[in-house]
């Protein structure tokens, strides 16, 4: 298998963490890319019309995207277990994944507002609205962290990748100060071999 890769993409990292957890990491070749919200990579766009990472190529040559599809595919063909079979646990994990993905979407929009939009068009209120989404998502996780503390599934993996992106790109955000339950959980979860092998690099 092959995957279009960026060392700073939390969505790519999410897929790679799943690959490690499923025992498939050594089976995936990392393809360099130049994904950008405006000047997108035309090479990626040949296989994924959105021109985004991650884009995975199966051994049969089929292109899969986005991270949610790729993660479920890797879990299905690997050791499995990251998408619970129990109905209650499954919907909890999938909802957690959706919330953490939304946190990441907001973080990316906030970053693009600051680094990709021309200065003359910068909209501070828009960026603050995205940061508000991040705070509300973290508050939701904070309230549920005790019940999820020992879970290793697609929801907790996505959350871990999300807060690691905040560490990378929002160093002044100070999320640990207000969401100490998430911070304590992440300090432990980040020590998993799958997380240590896929650390984001600026």
């Amino acid at each position: 298998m092959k995957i279009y890769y960026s060392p700073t993409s939390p969505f790519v990292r999410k897929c790679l963490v799943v690959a490690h957890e499923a025992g498939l990491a050594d089976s995936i070749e990392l393809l360099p890319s130049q994904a950008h919200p405006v000047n997108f990579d035309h090479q990626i766009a040949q296989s994924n019309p959105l021109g985004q990472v991650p884009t995975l190529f199966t051994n049969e040559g089929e292109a899969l995207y986005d991270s949610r599809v790729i993660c479920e595919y890797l879990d299905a063909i690997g050791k499995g277990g990251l998408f619970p079979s129990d109905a209650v646990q499954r919907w909890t994990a999938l909802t957690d994944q959706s919330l953490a993905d939304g946190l990441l979407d907001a973080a990316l929009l906030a970053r693009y507002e600051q680094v990709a939009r021309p200065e003359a068009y910068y909209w501070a209120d828009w960026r603050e609205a995205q940061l508000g989404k991040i705070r509300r998502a973290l508050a939701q996780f904070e309230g549920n962290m005790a019940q999820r503390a020992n879970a290793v599934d697609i929801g907790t993996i996505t959350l871990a990748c999300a807060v690691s992106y905040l560490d990378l790109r929002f160093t002044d955000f100070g999320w640990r100060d207000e969401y100490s339950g998430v911070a304590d959980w992440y300090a432990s979860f980040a020590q998993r071999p799958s997380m240590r092998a896929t650390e984001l690099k600026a």
Side-chain angles (χ1 to χ4, degrees), residues 1-3 14-16 18-24 27-28 55-83 90 94 97 154:
M1 293 179 285
K2 301 178 182 181
I3 191 169
K14 173 183 164 184
C15 296
L16 296 182
V18 168
H20 277 272
E21 295 285 350
L24 297 170
S27 304
I28 300 177
T55 298
L56 178 85
F57 297 97
T58 68
N59 288 334
E60 293 72 35
E62 182 180 3
L64 301 180
Y65 42 85
D66 60 4
S67 66
R68 284 168 288 194
V69 174
I70 295 170
C71 287
E72 190 157 1
Y73 175 78
L74 293 173
D75 187 66
I77 67 171
K79 295 178 180 178
L82 300 177
F83 290 78
R90 178 177 177 81
L94 290 177
Q97 175 185 215
I154 193 58

Side-chain angles (χ1 to χ4, degrees), residues 115-186:
V115 303
R117 187 181 296 278
E119 185 176 355
Y121 299 103
Y122 176 70
W123 191 2
D125 288 347
W126 167 265
R127 186 173 189 273
E128 185 55 38
Q130 305 313 313
L131 296 180
K133 292 179 184 179
I134 295 172
R135 294 186 185 98
R136 292 192 296 274
L138 288 172
Q140 176 76 10
F141 282 118
E142 181 77 8
N144 297 331
M145 214 65 251
Q147 303 97 291
R148 305 285 287 131
N150 298 317
V152 180
D153 58 32
I154 193 58
T156 53
I157 286 172
T158 309
L159 174 59
C161 293
V163 295
S164 72
Y165 184 74
L166 296 181
D167 285 345
L168 178 71
R169 296 301 196 194
F170 296 82
T171 55
D172 60 346
F173 190 65
W175 65 271
R176 286 177 173 79
D177 297 335
E178 191 168 352
Y179 311 103
S180 59
V182 177
D184 291 344
W185 164 82
Y186 177 66

Side-chain angles (χ1 to χ4, degrees), residues 96-115:
D96 284 350
Q97 175 185 215
S98 182
L99 182 58
D101 276 344
L103 187 164
L104 277 174
D105 287 338
L108 288 170
L109 288 173
R111 175 166 169 75
Y112 293 157
E113 186 67 29
Q114 197 160 33
V115 303

